[in-house]
Amino acid sequence: MRRISLMPLAALTALCGLTLAGCGNEQADTRAKADVDHVRAGSSGSPTTRPDPADDESGDSEFIAFMMLLNTVAEPCLPELPTAVPPEESEAMEEIPSDAPRPDELPLPDEPPPSSEPRDPEEAFQEIELSSVEKCDAEQHVRRITKALAAGTADPAPGDVDAVLRGLGYIEERIDGPQRARGGVEFTLDLRVMGGSLCLSGTTTGTKTTIEPYGADVEVACTEVRR
């Protein structure tokens, strides 16, 4: 089954940094909007609700804030990058003879031939296993959503749940529902960005909230996955 990697932290940081540094700068604003359009185009293959063209500026700002939220929530789950070469590796590098071939001169391995078998469309609707980083990311989202819902109305209506999710920074185009079902209020969150696969399916009664993370192919909506 095809795996999908989590969004690169560097890409999100660069996007957010570009936008924050460009306040009042027309050229930076133009470049930031182009980056947002690029990320939106590749974030999910499922149909989503797009803002009216007249609201492009406010919609872009909201989406950038959403990207910053995902970046912040994911930070505890991302491995730290090494900042210096370990001493043993540094010594090993010094021992390499000067006439040794450079890495760019070494022969490249043969690439495997592309598969000629067409992909089964049904595969897109099957649940995808989340990576360890995505599982950790999901725990962070579940914790903050559950805490916010517990502090809300005892018997929430769909509008109450929607207000809580929007207040936490999740945007309308990534929220499915909320709606009455099974004695509570159900909702689905699409957190797939930059090739990610994380979706959340939740149910809350006000006193009890259950949220389950799962992976979904970018070619289908989170609600279309067979689980």
Side-chain angles (χ1 to χ4, degrees), residues 77-93:
C77 303
L78 298 176
E80 295 183 2
L81 299 177
T83 56
V85 179
E88 58 273 13
E89 293 187 14
S90 178
E91 293 176 2
M93 292 174 62

Side-chain angles (χ1 to χ4, degrees), residues 26-227:
E26 182 177 356
Q27 181 178 3
D29 287 344
T30 302
R31 292 168 58 193
K33 289 182 180 181
D35 285 342
V36 170
D37 292 340
H38 173 72
V39 172
R40 272 180 162 162
S43 63
S44 171
S46 57
T48 54
T49 303
R50 298 298 181 186
D52 187 270
D55 300 326
D56 279 350
E57 185 173 349
S58 60
D60 288 347
S61 299
E62 185 181 51
F63 190 79
I64 290 172
F66 174 64
M67 295 283 286
M68 294 177 65
L69 165 67
L70 297 185
N71 182 29
T72 301
V73 174
E75 280 182 357
C77 303
L78 298 176
E80 295 183 2
L81 299 177
T83 56
V85 179
E88 58 273 13
E89 293 187 14
S90 178
E91 293 176 2
M93 292 174 62
E94 293 177 358
E95 297 175 357
I96 299 177
S98 58
D99 58 348
R102 297 181 303 176
D104 57 356
E105 295 176 346
L106 297 175
L108 298 176
D110 295 334
E111 295 184 1
S115 175
S116 58
E117 297 182 2
R119 182 188 177 196
D120 184 358
E122 290 295 316
E123 291 184 5
F125 295 92
Q126 298 176 10
E127 183 176 349
I128 295 175
E129 182 179 358
L130 297 172
S131 68
S132 58
V133 174
E134 286 178 309
K135 291 177 181 178
C136 173
D137 191 15
E139 291 177 359
Q140 306 298 318
H141 286 285
V142 169
R143 186 178 298 113
R144 68 193 301 268
I145 295 171
T146 301
K147 180 179 180 180
L149 289 173
T153 308
D155 184 19
D160 298 326
V161 176
D162 182 72
V164 170
L165 295 177
R166 295 293 299 274
L168 289 174
Y170 303 104
I171 57 179
E172 181 180 359
E173 64 187 80
R174 295 305 185 94
I175 302 173
D176 186 86
Q179 60 213 2
R180 292 279 185 188
R182 296 184 293 182
V185 178
E186 290 185 344
F187 60 89
T188 301
L189 283 178
D190 183 351
L191 303 181
R192 297 172 297 175
V193 181
M194 300 287 287
S197 59
L198 179 58
C199 300
L200 298 180
S201 176
T203 302
T204 183
T205 62
T207 56
K208 180 180 179 181
T209 298
T210 302
I211 303 176
E212 298 180 359
Y214 61 98
D217 192 295
V218 295
E219 295 182 5
V220 299
C222 289
T223 54
E224 295 177 316
V225 176
R226 300 190 185 96
R227 306 176 58 207

